[in-house]
């Protein structure tokens, strides 16, 4: 939760600094899990994964282009 709070604080600053209406808007981060990297038993060896959703700018939408 500490990592998630830190990332969300950073994203809040990014939202303030990029208040332009023509760029995607970052949403609060979602933790999607962590795992141990390598064989070490040290706690510093944890890797955290955070998903940062993007919201389209007003008047725009995101859509997937299917590849043939």
């Amino acid at each position: 939760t500490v990592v998630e709070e830190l990332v969300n604080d950073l994203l809040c600053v990014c939202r303030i600094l990029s208040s332009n209406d023509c760029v995607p808007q970052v949403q609060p981060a979602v933790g999607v899990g962590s795992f141990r990297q390598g064989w070490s038993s040290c706690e510093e060896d944890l890797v955290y994964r955070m998903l940062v959703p993007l919201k389209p700018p007003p008047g725009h939408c995101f859509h997937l282009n299917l590849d043939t």
Side-chain angles (χ1 to χ4, degrees), residues 25-42:
Q25 302 166 353
V26 292
Q27 301 300 299
V30 178
V32 291
S34 63
F35 62 93
R36 292 205 180 271
Q37 186 177 21
W39 296 99
S40 174
S41 62
C42 297

